Amino acid sequence: EDKLLKKFNEKKYFNYQGSHWPPNLVHKSYWKKIEGFSEEFNPGVASDPDFNMKLWKEGVRIFKGINNFKGESFHSSNWNHKYNLNGKKIAVIGTGASSIQIIPHIINGLKKMTIFQRTAPWISPRKNIEITEISKNRFKKYPLYSRLCRELIYWILELRGMFKYKNSLTARALKKESSEFLKNSVKDKDLLKKLTPNYELGCKRILYSNLYYEAVQKKQVNFVTDNISKIVENGIIDSKGNLHELDAIIYGTGFKTAQFTHMFELEGLNGKKLFEEWNNNGGEAYYGMTSDDIPNFIFLIGPNTGLSHTSIIHMMESQYNYALDYLKNLKRKPNTFYNLKKSVFNKFNKNLQKKLSKMIWSTGGCQSWYITGNKKNVTIWPGTTFLYRYKTRKVNMNDYNVIKLDI
């Protein structure tokens, strides 16, 4: 990213801290930086590739006495590569997507590993298939064959996405697969009970690993499901009063994906402060890209464009198509700005939340990072990726008020 910005001398435009829409709209149709610089730009396209990764600290601060610990500690996204784990007594807090990848790869060199689990994840076997040289040559020789294989993978993943409906055929099949995988992998009855989820598959993120269950059964592992009471100088005390002495703590506590406090300030028409509204009421956008009273501004990977079953790249490509068509329309109509109609915005998000309320993230019996404190799902796209691509293939100008500026 830095190399591209340097190459095209654009870093000053991308690295801003905030922007606002000038109130004197009869003369301006540009977003303006608010940190004392004079750069103006029209339109604006924003993407946060670290989508709330900056907020990992918020998930760590919940632990009492976190600053008391005298050993080494770091979050999984802020790994201390200089710290030597070998021969140490390590705690891993959390058993989500980060932790199940970390644990198998550091366990063998440790003196002891204590794993603190709040909620057992659903884990499916990872189906990695070796691509042989014969297959590679076939793909190279027959491009159509390669395309067909890619299409097959795409449609299989779209079908798997139907787990979003509780008790659907897909959900039952995936639950059976994961349950059998767990039972066949773990023989100890007490550990098996700890590793068995108490909510429906898909309510939290479905994880994939062939190594995790083997790792947590190693003799140097202490698997703890009691809550953490507090962190002290030499370790962690659980809710039963047991002290777990430690040399280091690794926080696999995830991220606050539904918060927007870290975003730059963005003020549009009528004094609308978008990210402040998102943080208070939950993120909302039209197909995750535009908002009313935020004219000529497009978000990439915005609210409700996340996926739980296939590649986010497919959604990003669809958004690029929409953004390019948006820019083409602006070029055909210079000295104008497009403001999404409030009625279009409200209708879209009302229907979106209605669909999501019937899906597994709301009906599966769990608390997850998909849902905000006010029970709104601000992260997941409820439909298929091919429907999203169809809906965003071009801009429907009837969705926008086109304002001609007198310049």
Side-chain angles (χ1 to χ4, degrees):
E1 179 184 343
D2 289 337
K3 289 181 180 179
L4 287 173
L5 295 177
K6 184 177 180 180
K7 178 180 178 180
F8 293 103
N9 195 28
E10 292 292 331
K11 191 161 187 175
K12 61 180 180 180
Y13 299 110
F14 283 85
N15 220 11
Y16 61 93
Q17 297 300 312
S19 59
H20 75 282
W21 187 267
N24 190 10
L25 287 176
V26 296
H27 298 300
K28 298 282 187 179
S29 63
Y30 296 90
W31 287 96
K32 194 168 186 177
K33 293 172 62 173
I34 60 174
E35 56 176 5
F37 295 92
S38 61
E39 286 90 353
E40 297 174 338
F41 49 98
N42 178 36
V45 181
S47 174
D48 184 7
D50 297 323
F51 188 54
N52 286 337
M53 295 304 185
K54 306 175 186 73
L55 285 178
W56 62 264
K57 292 182 179 178
E58 297 296 326
V60 171
R61 289 174 183 155
I62 63 173
F63 300 112
K64 182 180 178 181
I66 186 171
N67 295 323
N68 295 331
F69 186 60
K70 299 300 183 182
E72 180 63 32
S73 62
F74 49 85
H75 190 269
S76 59
S77 67
N78 195 34
W79 196 274
N80 183 358
H81 294 279
K82 295 181 181 179
Y83 184 74
N84 186 0
L85 296 170
N86 288 332
K88 302 294 198 310
K89 292 180 288 186
I90 306 297
V92 176
I93 301 178
T95 53
S98 299
S99 295
I100 74 159
Q101 296 176 74
I102 293 168
I103 289 169
H105 293 286
I106 66 172
I107 181 64
N108 289 332
L110 302 181
K111 181 178 181 179
K112 185 177 183 180
M113 174 184 282
T114 303
I115 301 171
F116 289 89
Q117 174 184 274
R118 182 176 62 178
T119 310
W122 282 101
I123 300 177
S124 293
R126 181 177 291 278
K127 298 180 175 65
N128 280 342
I129 301 174
E130 181 182 358
I131 307 298
T132 65
E133 288 301 320
I134 294 176
S135 295
K136 292 176 184 177
N137 291 332
R138 189 182 296 126
F139 288 140
K140 186 177 181 180
K141 187 176 181 179
Y142 304 107
L144 179 60
Y145 173 72
S146 176
R147 177 66 182 269
L148 289 173
C149 286
R150 288 183 63 85
E151 286 293 321
L152 177 63
I153 293 171
Y154 171 79
W155 288 107
I156 288 175
L157 292 176
E158 285 296 297
L159 180 62
R160 284 177 67 93
M162 297 306 291
F163 74 79
K164 68 185 75 171
Y165 296 104
K166 187 177 180 179
N167 296 321
S168 65
L169 181 63
T170 301
R172 293 200 301 270
L174 291 177
K175 184 175 181 179
K176 181 181 179 182
E177 177 188 52
S178 295
S179 297
E180 290 180 351
F181 178 54
L182 171 58
K183 292 176 182 177
N184 292 333
S185 301
V186 180
K187 302 305 179 184
D188 183 271
K189 291 183 179 180
D190 290 335
L191 183 58
L192 179 61
K193 185 177 180 180
K194 291 179 178 180
L195 292 169
T196 301
N198 60 357
Y199 56 91
E200 292 300 318
L201 179 140
C203 186
K204 289 178 178 285
R205 182 177 176 182
I206 302 173
L207 308 181
Y208 296 87
S209 176
N210 295 332
L211 305 174
Y212 178 70
Y213 288 145
E214 178 185 352
V216 298
Q217 295 178 83
K218 291 184 178 292
K219 61 182 181 179
Q220 65 266 48
V221 172
N222 180 24
F223 201 89
V224 180
T225 55
D226 300 312
N227 291 331
I228 292 174
S229 176
K230 61 181 177 180
I231 298 175
V232 294
E233 289 187 2
N234 59 336
I236 294 174
I237 297 178
D238 64 32
S239 57
K240 291 183 177 178
N242 299 313
L243 171 62
H244 304 272
E245 294 187 354
L246 302 166
D247 297 309
I249 300 174
I250 300 172
Y251 294 96
T253 47
F255 310 91
K256 295 289 185 180
T257 59
Q259 290 186 9
F260 302 91
T261 52
H262 71 288
M263 301 292 282
F264 56 86
E265 184 178 345
L266 182 65
E267 183 177 338
L269 297 174
N270 304 314
K272 179 169 183 171
K273 295 184 178 180
L274 185 69
F275 297 131
E276 186 175 306
E277 285 191 12
W278 282 9
N279 203 48
N280 292 333
N281 305 318
E284 291 183 326
Y286 185 57
Y287 288 102
M289 290 185 284
T290 60
S291 178
D292 65 297
D293 285 343
I294 306 292
N296 288 16
F297 204 97
I298 305 167
F299 325 110
L300 301 179
I301 325 177
N304 293 110
T305 58
L307 300 172
S308 58
H309 67 288
T310 191
S311 174
I312 189 66
I313 294 174
H314 193 280
M315 298 290 278
M316 294 168 66
E317 290 173 343
S318 299
Q319 291 168 4
Y320 299 153
N321 291 337
Y322 190 91
L324 288 172
D325 192 56
Y326 193 107
L327 295 174
K328 289 176 182 177
N329 277 282
L330 276 178
K331 188 175 182 179
R332 286 194 292 266
K333 298 179 180 180
N335 302 323
T336 62
F337 69 87
Y338 301 160
N339 190 19
L340 182 70
K341 295 176 181 177
K342 183 72 172 178
S343 58
V344 172
F345 176 84
N346 287 338
K347 182 179 179 181
F348 174 83
N349 282 285
K350 182 179 179 180
N351 290 338
L352 190 79
Q353 292 302 321
K354 185 178 180 180
K355 292 177 182 177
L356 286 165
S357 68
K358 300 175 182 178
M359 294 181 175
I360 195 66
W361 304 286
S362 297
T363 64
C366 76
Q367 292 182 333
S368 75
W369 55 267
Y370 297 120
I371 310 293
T372 64
N374 59 4
K375 307 301 181 183
K376 180 188 289 186
N377 189 326
V378 301
T379 54
I380 294 293
W381 169 247
T384 58
T385 58
F386 61 84
L387 177 63
Y388 186 87
R389 176 152 296 187
Y390 175 76
K391 292 290 188 179
T392 58
R393 68 194 187 282
K394 63 180 181 178
V395 177
N396 182 355
M397 293 308 301
N398 292 325
D399 294 338
Y400 293 86
N401 291 314
V402 182
I403 312 298
K404 179 72 175 178
L405 298 174
D406 183 16
I407 297 181

